[in-house]
Amino acid sequence: MESDRLDPREARRIAERAEAAPYVDYPPTPWWYAPVVGLWSAALLLNLSLAGSHTAIAVPAILILVTLEGAAIGWYFRRYGAVPSMRRPPAEFRRALAGYAVGCLVVVALVALAWHTTGPPVAALLAGVLVTIGLLVYERSYAAAARRTRDRLA
Amino acid sequence: MIDDLDPVIHAPKRLAAMAVLSSATTATFPFLREHLGVSDSDLSKQMATLEKAGYVAVSKSGRGRGATTTYRITRTGRTAYEQHRRALAAILDG
């Protein structure tokens, strides 16, 4: 069995770095990720609006979009290797994660408002744009938090 | 206080593996290997020890080159890891 005479201070350092690893050790996000998710959101919203009147087209389209989402989640898990549980993220990530939660609420509220005032096509377009921009902003905020965490634990 | 340290977890490589798994939903074999900086056989040995203790669960998917081995921490493992971290904190912070 491996030696268990590890210095407690060194043990804590190893634990802190490893606990942060799922948050900070990740491959670069491809440039197309945000626009593709934006397009996906717009397509889903548009098809949901058509589900009542054009069922034969909209329902299969929604099923395809949901299947694509499942495939994307599988790809994400394989690519990232370790997906953060978000149980106790490093302190540096609090702002980025809070911003993400608030951003989601704002996007939903604005898209819902657009849906009721101008109709589904404009709401879908708005969803596509806002999701793309929101993800780009989140990505930058997350990367900055990861950098700060890596610096602290270096 | 030293007695509260879990000998299965206190070994550096297993401590690092448990720490990664404590903050991830799952972690793949390659991710753990890269983070721990160990060989395939060494990681397999360390993870087998943790699995035998009931601290991690392993799942395998796919076949051949596309096969993926994934680990997740069990409830017993999480309890043991958190206890170990508390013991470390008690030693260092008094």
Side-chain angles (χ1 to χ4, degrees), chain A residues 35-47 65 123-124 127-128 131-132 135:
Chain A
V36 164
V37 177
L39 267 177
W40 181 90
S41 309
L44 182 67
L45 214 59
L46 211 53
N47 280 290
L65 287 169
V131 167
T132 303
L135 279 177

Side-chain angles (χ1 to χ4, degrees), chain A residues 1-4 6 8-9 11-12 14-19 21-23 25 77 80-85 87-88, chain B residues 7 10-16 19-20 22-28 31 35 46 78 81-82 85 88-89 91-93:
Chain A
M1 186 175 276
E2 199 179 344
S3 167
D4 61 357
L6 184 61
R9 208 172 302 279
R12 182 155 75 177
I14 289 172
E16 284 175 350
R17 290 181 70 172
E19 284 169 5
Y23 293 88
D25 294 346
F77 271 65
Y80 283 73
V83 179
S85 64
R87 271 171 171 257
R88 275 194 299 265
Chain B
H10 198 53
K13 293 167 192 168
R14 291 195 292 275
L15 172 64
V20 167
S22 76
S23 60
T25 53
T26 58
T28 60
F31 185 92
H35 183 78
Q46 304 301 337
R78 185 173 297 284
Y81 179 72
E82 283 172 1
R85 286 287 269 130
L88 272 179
I91 292 167
L92 291 168
D93 305 330

Side-chain angles (χ1 to χ4, degrees), chain A residues 87-102:
Chain A
R87 271 171 171 257
R88 275 194 299 265
E92 289 85 351
F93 284 86
R94 280 184 203 139
R95 193 193 296 176
L97 296 174
Y100 181 81
V102 171

